[in-house]
Structures are given as structure tokens and as C-alpha cells.
Amino acid sequence: MSRKAKYNSKSSNMTGAEMLVQCLADLGVDTVFGYPGGAVLPIYDAIFKQNQVRHILVRHEQGAVHAAEGYARSTGKVGVVLVTSGPGATNSVTGLTDAMMDSVPIVCLTGQVPTHMIGNDAFQEADTVGITRPCTKHNYLVRSVDVLCKTIQDAFYIAKAGRPGPVVVDLPKDIVMSEGKYDKAGSSFNNSKHLSYNPQIEPDPSAISRAIEAMQKAERPILYTGGGIINSGPEASVLLRELAHKTGFPITNTLMGLGSFPASDSQFLGMLGMHGTYEANMAMAECDVMVCIGARFDDRVTGKLSDFSTGSYKIHADIDPSSINKNVSVDVPIIGDSVRIISAMLEAWKTQGNKPNMSRSSPWWKKIEKWRSRECLYYKQSDEVIKPQYAIQRLHELTKNKDVYFTTEVGQHQMWAAQYLRFDEPNRWMTSGGLGTMGYGFPAAMGVQVAHPNSLVIDVAGEASLLMVIQELSTLMQHRLPVKVFLLNNEYMGMVRQWQELFHGGRYSESYMDSLPDFVKLAESFGARGLRASKPADVDKVILEMIDTDGPVIADILVDKETNVYPMIPSGAAHYEMKLGPDHGESEESADGGMASV
Amino acid sequence: MSEKIERHTMSVLVENEPGVLARVIGLFAGRGYNIESLTVAEVDVVENLSRVNLVTTGSPMIIEQIKNQLDRLVPVRTVSDLTAEGSYVERELALIKVVSIGEKRVESLRIADIFRAHVVDSENDSFVFEMTGKPSKIDAFVRLMEPLGLTEISRTGVSAMLRGKRSL
């Protein structure tokens, strides 16, 4: 019997490795990001013998997880990772933690030493389930080939159900080498109810009516929405738009929620939080009814907790009950999926014959317009040096009509990207929010590009972050992934330097990037294209050339070295105490109070 | 936030699989919650379930967090905050060793009788008492044994259950 016929027969003996790969294919997995090693050799052998599942070879396991995150966040599907035991597993920990914090559905398959060697300090052995327990939603050690497929199916269900997250399946080498029966029809593909994990999807109607009652009476309402809208699927964004228009409420998004509501809509106040807009933070501070959907009152959003929006009636809708009443005590908790919650809100709003109760001529909107008129994102343009804000603005202008996806690293460039790129659709913006992982964006962009081979994928990067993961340029070349790196190069760890300037007396301890490579030559050494802009007049030309290049590009944009990100809620300050910065005539004096806060 | 610190007893039904206790304990350690007492044993062989009883302290917001965080663990079937749900019984078993002779020895036996503690081991100069009761009763017994030659205590931690016909 040929191998193909063997796979297609309804029930047959296969090795665990063959079962695993077939199971992935049957679950609809088309791509796995991974790196081989001793404990997973049988799995790589099974991958070699088939063509249903594509394997993308990365250059470091952390990159594999971030790539899977980019794949997952741009498609809504589960991202899949395959790494070996020991160092392969430990190298994936940063990516798993990142996915945990930002609720990204990932299944990470890790090799393990054979079961009889577990606990003996075998070569490349690590207690993977022990190490990854706190940084995964759940993890499994497969102890028998008979439960292998069931475990894989379970892992995909857990990764996706409720609040998504990463799941590790640890696979001892003897298990994937032993033979078992693969029976697609007989396994639980049509998921019957899970025994212990069944998140609440439908919101409680009485909570919805309490929320609607408050929303009807609101004089100074605000919608505050986050990544939960995006995780709920594109329908949630459509519904959110309708809710905003039907109520007339102003709306702000978290860093993770950008794109869930169109930035071009006049009701959009921009991002909120530490580097959010002045109008968004002031509206949060002074609102009387706050409607939070799919966000979690992160410390970057609230600022000093005891001064956070003290006068407002708070409605908090989330799929994860543990997100509610964690940092901020709320008046109306609603548990459920965003799509179901917003639908229920809309229905209740409409059946009661409500018109938008927030017209643009209301006192509340007038107040908001006054805050808006401060133009908090204004900056002083220069003819000589490239302002980083200008570079991002031009990048937005020259790509806004294209099919484009953006990822970022972590730091100043990330905040400028969040402020000046404007998203009208969900799933177009991938950034490391919760964990703040430098080196996220470049591999994430690879994953996005794999999922969207014909789209423009741009990693807005800083030079310090990029150097943490630069080896993945080799992956891009091998798999012909034309990712563009838009590198805001200021030769500093910019955000570290900014905090040292503001909170540590300007002592720039170890934040200067000495001995930087020539990024143009670096790109060329991998066979990619390198471009450089050193004057404002070069920026457009470089961007257009970058877009027009077929393969990967590093565009080295030499920006003003000591520009700070504004507006800013200084760490430890209340969210209404925003600093607009020197371009608004404010001083940049350092404040000692912020030193102790993160 | 100066919220009142409360003491809560919770019962958690978990799937009896390797590492499940590590998940529960890791959650408490990782998030800085208190554990005053924790017991665990298999209670349902057919369904393969274990019951964890735990006593914890925290502000009302923290207690709510603990319950929700426990509920979020995949192998957790149900979490019940017995203190919040109303009336429940709470029992603990203790073994208490008292080493003494003469008057003290007689006195320890007399008090044990009052507390309905049983003697489970006896030599000329020592007793091991077994007693079951509320933790506060055990505390009281231990306090009385201290001057009478108390040398060792072993306590199981709290086991608890709702009163009446309601079940977990």
C-alpha cells in the first residue's frame, strides 16, 4: 500500500509522528513554524514525506513563536510551532509568554526525551511542562500514542476557545515513534462539550439591560475597546461601528485594539493610555459612563490607579471573568463574547427606540473638540533631520490605499507607529502589548507574510530591537518572504533613554547602541535590499522604493536621535496629568516620582 | 486600597491528572495570593476527580480574583467559595504528641478527654492524640498542651463542605 493510500484509509496504523502531522492537516493547519532537533527528528521525517503541511524553518525558536503569533493575529487562525526538547523549548518561552499576555491562539509542539529518560537529566532534557506552566493557557505531556490525537485536538480547542492563548504539547520521542491507530472519523473532531473548559459566550441579559439603562442616561459617555474585539472576529468590529454610530458615543482604542474601530471615523478619539492622545485620556478621566469591551484596564491605560476616572459608572464586558474587577472595580460586569455582547446591546438599544443620545452638538462633544484642538500629536517639523513622527506619517500616507499589514518591535518607534499609522480594519496591526517584547515585530512580520503572500507587510522597527532577531533575515530569504523593515534608527534604545532623561537625571546608562552595523550592508550580506534615508527629503523616495522592491528590504531611516514620545502620562501620574512635550511649549524637566513605577 | 481582609474557604473539583496541584499552587505563588491551608485527595475514582480544599485570605477583590483565576485553569471543573455561598462545615484532623510524666501526663489525658481527642499511641512517657474539629478547636487544644509537654503537631489542613442538600 502506498503511503498516500495508507493516510487516506479510514483507520490505519501509523507512527505517532505520522498521526501528528495527519492530525494537523485534518485540523486545517497549512503552516508550521519550527526548528528541528534530536527529539523531534521523527516528526520532521513525517513532515518530509507529505505536502499538506508547509514547514517554515526559522533561525531561532523565539522567532518561530512570534511568526506563529503574526500568522494567528492576521488571520484569526491558530498559529502552530514545532521545536525540539530542552533549548528548543526554553527558547520558545518568551514567545509563549508574549502570546499569553496578548491572548494569541498558539499551539506549540515541543519534543521531549523518551519517557523512560524523563527526570534523568538526559541530553537536551528540560521540564517543559513545568517551565511553561505559568506562560501557557494549558499544557500537556503526552504519555501514550493512544491519546496523541485527542490531545492535539484538545490543544487547538483550548487555544481558541474563550480568551485565546498559547498551549504547549510536549511529545516524548518514544511516543512519536510508536505505532497506533489513526481514526479521523472516530475521534472527537466534532467537538462535543469539553469536560471542564466551557467559557461563557452568551452574556447575561439582565447585565445587558443594566448597561443599556446607564448608557441611555449618560451625559458624558465613552466606549473604550481593546484586543477582545479583534479576537472575537471581524464581525465584532462591524458591530462595534454600528454601536458607536447608533449611540453617538466617542470611542477610544487600546494599543491592542487599534483597527477594531476605523481611525478615520470622526467619533474616534485615538489610542488611550500612557502615550495615547490627550483627548482620549481626558475623555476617560471625565466621562460619566464608561463602556469597556474586550480590554483589561492595564496599568498603561489607567495611570495612577486611585485617580483613574473616579467619577464614572463603569461597564466592563470581557470573555475572561478574571479580567473583571482585577485592577478597577466596576459597576456592571458582563461576561461573554464581544460579538454576542455588542449584538445584545444593539438589539436592546434599538428595541427601546433609542436615537443616538450624543449628538455632535452636545456639551460633551464640544468639550472633546476643545481637547482635540490642543493637537497633541503636533510636532515641529525639521528640514535637516528626519523627525521619527514625520517618517511614520509619510509611511502611512504612502501605504494607506494598499493591502498592508504592520508589525512593530517595542519602544519609541512602536508608540509613534501606534499614534501616526491609522487603521481602519482589524487584524492589520500586530504589536507586543502586554509583554513588551523587543524583537517581536520582525519574526511576526514573517508569519503575517506567510499568511498573506501578496500583501505588503511592514515591520516598523528600532535598531536595538531588530538586532535581537536579525538572524530571521535568513528565513525571509529562504522562503521568499518580501517583508519590509522600516527602521527608525536613532542609535539609542530610545524608550530607555527617554525614561533616563525624564526620571533618572539624564544619566544614559547603557542605553547607547555602540558599534552598530551598517544596516544597508547587513541587508545586502543576506541577499536582501538595503536602503537609507538621512534627510527629510529622502523619506518619500525611500518608502516608495521599499514598496516597489520585490524581496525583503531594510530601510534604514536615520532619525532625530533625541526626540521623545509625547503626549505622555508620566509614570506614576494620573491619566489626566498628560505632558504634551516641548513642541507644545512644555518643559521636559525630570520628575523623580516616576522612578519607582514601571 | 484599604479594603478589609477576609478569610475564605474554597472547594475546587479538579481532574486528577499529573501536575494539577502544581497548577493550583503555581497560580497562588505566581500571583502572590495567600494559602493558609490546602488539602487534596481523590474523591471520584470513576470520573477521576480530586477535591482541593483551600483556605485563603485577601480583600474582596482579591478573593474574587482567586476564584476566577482558579476557574480559568483548564483541569478545574468547579470552584465553590463556601464562605460566600453561606453555611458550611469545616473540619481538620490533627495528630499531637505530648511527652511528659506524672501530673502533667494525667492532666494532658484529662484535657484530651474534654476535647474528645483519642489516644492513638501511648508509651510510659508519651501520648499521640488524634482529634478532629474546627481549626480553632485544634488551636485551643494545642495551646493547652503547650505547657504539658507538647513536642510535635501534624495537621491535615481544612476539609469543608456546604451544609444542607446543596452539592458541589
Side-chain angles (χ1 to χ4, degrees), chain A residues 346-527:
Chain A
L346 272 170
E347 204 171 310
W349 188 269
K350 283 187 234 165
T351 50
Q352 292 173 25
N354 287 310
K355 295 270 170 321
N357 63 349
M358 272 303 121
S359 74
R360 298 303 298 271
S361 57
S362 64
W364 179 229
W365 267 111
K366 279 189 184 143
K367 202 162 190 185
I368 289 171
E369 292 306 339
K370 226 168 140 187
W371 290 323
R372 266 184 175 162
S373 70
R374 296 283 299 269
E375 293 186 53
C376 66
L377 294 179
Y378 165 81
Y379 60 92
K380 280 206 179 91
Q381 176 59 326
S382 158
D383 292 336
E384 281 130 44
V385 293
I386 303 171
K387 284 293 190 179
Q389 302 96 318
Y390 172 73
I392 301 282
Q393 259 184 338
R394 293 312 301 159
L395 183 65
H396 172 66
E397 283 303 318
L398 297 172
T399 58
K400 66 181 177 189
N401 296 319
K402 295 183 182 298
D403 172 20
V404 60
Y405 293 82
F406 285 97
T407 68
T408 77
E409 310 296 334
V410 166
Q412 288 186 316
H413 67 275
Q414 177 191 27
M415 292 297 108
W416 285 314
Q419 291 172 338
Y420 295 94
L421 295 174
R422 301 183 64 79
F423 297 94
D424 283 348
E425 283 173 41
N427 305 96
R428 298 277 175 173
W429 163 249
M430 270 65 52
T431 192
S432 173
L435 193 63
T437 312
M438 290 172 71
Y440 166 86
F442 189 41
M446 305 191 313
V448 176
Q449 190 80 74
V450 168
H452 308 277
N454 301 316
S455 305
L456 178 61
V457 181
I458 301 173
D459 170 32
V460 176
E463 78 289 345
S465 291
L466 185 64
L467 280 182
M468 286 192 173
V469 287
I470 191 66
Q471 74 283 350
E472 300 301 340
L473 196 45
S474 176
T475 308
L476 294 182
M477 296 312 294
Q478 182 190 345
H479 298 280
R480 299 175 190 281
L481 302 169
V483 167
K484 318 297 184 215
V485 179
F486 193 71
L487 179 63
L488 296 184
N489 186 349
N490 58 10
E491 302 183 359
Y492 274 113
M493 292 165 213
M495 195 58 96
V496 173
R497 190 207 53 74
Q498 176 168 346
W499 279 52
Q500 288 173 334
E501 180 187 338
L502 298 179
F503 308 121
H504 292 268
R507 293 177 295 279
Y508 293 166
S509 177
E510 304 294 327
S511 55
Y512 177 63
M513 292 295 286
D514 207 352
S515 306
L516 284 168
D518 177 329
F519 284 97
V520 172
K521 284 187 185 156
L522 179 65
E524 286 166 359
S525 76
F526 281 87

Side-chain angles (χ1 to χ4, degrees), chain A residues 529-540:
Chain A
R529 181 121 193 254
L531 300 169
R532 179 167 293 133
S534 48
K535 290 189 295 295
D538 302 339
V539 171
D540 278 21

Side-chain angles (χ1 to χ4, degrees), chain A residues 30 48 91 202 296 304 306 333 384 457 493 536 551 562 597:
Chain A
D30 52 23
F48 188 83
N91 277 346
E202 286 297 330
R296 59 182 178 90
K304 189 179 171 191
S306 55
E384 281 130 44
V457 181
M493 292 165 213
E562 300 200 3
S597 307

Side-chain angles (χ1 to χ4, degrees), chain A residues 153-390:
Chain A
Q153 289 157 20
D154 244 31
F156 274 78
Y157 166 76
I158 299 288
K160 200 85 176 64
R163 180 177 178 180
V167 178
V168 161
V169 183
D170 203 21
L171 301 160
K173 194 171 184 180
D174 57 326
I175 302 293
V176 291
M177 289 179 77
S178 55
E179 287 212 348
K181 256 192 174 36
Y182 182 72
D183 184 0
K184 185 184 172 184
S187 61
S188 55
F189 268 84
N190 303 319
N191 248 314
S192 49
K193 198 165 178 263
H194 194 272
L195 277 175
S196 63
Y197 189 73
N198 297 290
Q200 182 179 342
I201 304 298
E202 286 297 330
D204 171 11
S206 71
I208 296 287
S209 44
R210 279 171 64 204
I212 292 294
E213 199 181 320
M215 286 160 73
Q216 283 164 345
K217 290 189 203 138
E219 287 174 3
R220 301 185 309 281
I222 189 161
L223 286 163
Y224 147 46
T225 66
I229 302 285
I230 292 168
N231 274 334
S232 186
E235 195 192 345
S237 297
V238 175
L239 290 165
L240 178 63
R241 200 176 307 192
E242 199 186 340
L243 182 68
H245 292 162
K246 285 275 189 295
T247 55
F249 291 2
I251 174 167
T252 177
N253 283 344
T254 66
L255 179 69
M256 300 305 293
L258 292 176
S260 65
F261 189 80
S264 55
D265 192 293
S266 64
Q267 282 173 242
F268 187 60
L269 304 187
M271 180 175 78
L272 82 168
M274 184 172 272
H275 293 297
T277 66
Y278 180 68
E279 51 271 32
N281 284 313
M282 290 309 289
M284 285 288 282
E286 296 199 11
C287 67
D288 67 345
V289 173
M290 180 188 296
V291 185
C292 168
I293 309 173
R296 59 182 178 90
F297 294 91
D298 179 85
D299 56 73
R300 282 296 180 271
V301 159
T302 61
K304 189 179 171 191
L305 209 50
S306 55
D307 289 339
F308 174 70
S309 194
T310 46
S312 61
Y313 186 82
K314 297 179 186 73
I315 298 158
H316 186 187
D318 204 289
I319 199 157
D320 177 9
S322 74
S323 282
I324 293 174
N325 287 332
K326 181 170 66 178
N327 302 330
V328 172
S329 157
V330 299
D331 301 283
V332 184
I334 307 174
I335 294 159
D337 184 75
S338 297
V339 166
R340 306 304 314 139
I341 289 165
I342 304 173
S343 310
M345 282 180 167
L346 272 170
E347 204 171 310
W349 188 269
K350 283 187 234 165
T351 50
Q352 292 173 25
N354 287 310
K355 295 270 170 321
N357 63 349
M358 272 303 121
S359 74
R360 298 303 298 271
S361 57
S362 64
W364 179 229
W365 267 111
K366 279 189 184 143
K367 202 162 190 185
I368 289 171
E369 292 306 339
K370 226 168 140 187
W371 290 323
R372 266 184 175 162
S373 70
R374 296 283 299 269
E375 293 186 53
C376 66
L377 294 179
Y378 165 81
Y379 60 92
K380 280 206 179 91
Q381 176 59 326
S382 158
D383 292 336
E384 281 130 44
V385 293
I386 303 171
K387 284 293 190 179
Q389 302 96 318
Y390 172 73

Side-chain angles (χ1 to χ4, degrees), chain A residues 40-160:
Chain A
V40 284
L41 282 176
I43 302 172
Y44 273 84
D45 214 23
I47 286 175
F48 188 83
K49 293 174 187 163
Q50 55 82 52
N51 52 19
Q52 292 168 282
V53 180
R54 181 185 184 195
H55 181 270
I56 303 288
L57 174 66
V58 297
R59 297 300 184 270
H60 186 286
E61 290 87 351
Q62 182 187 345
V65 187
H66 292 325
E69 287 186 274
Y71 178 95
R73 289 179 60 182
S74 64
T75 60
K77 300 202 302 196
V78 176
V80 185
V81 179
L82 172 60
V83 298
T84 195
S85 62
T90 55
N91 277 346
S92 67
V93 165
T94 299
L96 293 170
T97 312
D98 190 89
M100 186 70 176
M101 291 285 265
D102 285 347
S103 312
V104 187
I106 298 290
V107 168
C108 179
L109 309 165
T110 56
Q112 183 54 279
V113 300
T115 43
H116 68 272
M117 293 174 83
I118 290 178
N120 283 354
D121 298 326
F123 178 62
Q124 292 197 328
E125 181 186 357
D127 175 11
T128 302
V129 286
I131 290 168
T132 62
R133 203 174 280 129
C135 64
T136 53
K137 197 172 160 187
H138 193 53
N139 59 17
Y140 303 86
L141 172 63
V142 179
R143 287 158 201 277
S144 153
V145 73
D146 301 331
V147 295
L148 177 61
C149 283
K150 172 81 179 75
T151 307
I152 300 295
Q153 289 157 20
D154 244 31
F156 274 78
Y157 166 76
I158 299 288
K160 200 85 176 64

Side-chain angles (χ1 to χ4, degrees), chain B residues 147-163:
Chain B
L148 301 177
L150 176 79
T151 61
E152 196 178 342
I153 308 164
S154 174
R155 297 172 69 150
T156 58
V158 166
S159 196
M161 193 172 275
L162 282 175
R163 288 183 187 276

Side-chain angles (χ1 to χ4, degrees), chain B:
Chain B
M1 246 174 278
S2 58
E3 279 185 287
K4 206 168 116 260
I5 299 299
E6 298 176 355
R7 177 180 182 276
H8 280 239
T9 303
M10 296 188 189
S11 284
V12 191
L13 272 187
V14 298
E15 288 174 5
N16 186 15
E17 59 178 36
V20 66
L21 190 58
R23 288 182 205 282
V24 172
I25 293 172
L27 173 70
F28 277 74
R31 294 188 181 265
Y33 305 143
N34 296 316
I35 301 182
E36 276 196 1
S37 148
L38 183 136
T39 65
V40 57
E42 188 174 55
V43 291
D44 186 336
V45 186
V46 181
E47 287 231 36
N48 196 30
L49 296 178
S50 290
R51 181 175 179 132
V52 179
N53 296 296
L54 56 91
V55 180
T56 183
T57 54
S59 66
M61 248 168 112
I62 293 288
I63 298 286
E64 183 186 346
Q65 268 295 299
I66 291 172
K67 183 172 183 293
N68 289 332
Q69 292 287 354
L70 283 168
D71 218 3
R72 202 156 79 122
L73 296 177
V74 171
V76 167
R77 288 278 183 93
T78 38
V79 184
S80 175
D81 181 346
L82 302 179
T83 308
E85 290 201 19
S87 183
Y88 65 98
V89 283
E90 192 176 63
R91 286 290 179 275
E92 186 177 7
L93 185 142
L95 296 175
I96 293 134
K97 184 174 283 180
V98 177
V99 178
S100 54
I101 49 167
E103 193 54 41
K104 282 186 175 176
R105 180 171 164 83
V106 177
E107 177 68 1
S108 70
L109 193 62
R110 207 176 59 79
I111 293 173
D113 192 41
I114 295 168
F115 276 76
R116 275 181 262 167
H118 305 288
V119 176
V120 289
D121 176 73
S122 173
E123 289 190 11
N124 288 336
D125 53 356
S126 71
F127 284 125
V128 176
F129 296 113
E130 175 211 305
M131 73 174 298
T132 316
K134 279 190 181 175
S136 56
K137 179 181 166 186
I138 296 171
D139 291 345
F141 183 70
V142 165
R143 215 165 32 245
L144 290 172
M145 288 299 125
E146 256 162 23
L148 301 177
L150 176 79
T151 61
E152 196 178 342
I153 308 164
S154 174
R155 297 172 69 150
T156 58
V158 166
S159 196
M161 193 172 275
L162 282 175
R163 288 183 187 276
K165 59 188 170 194
R166 279 190 300 157
S167 295
L168 203 58

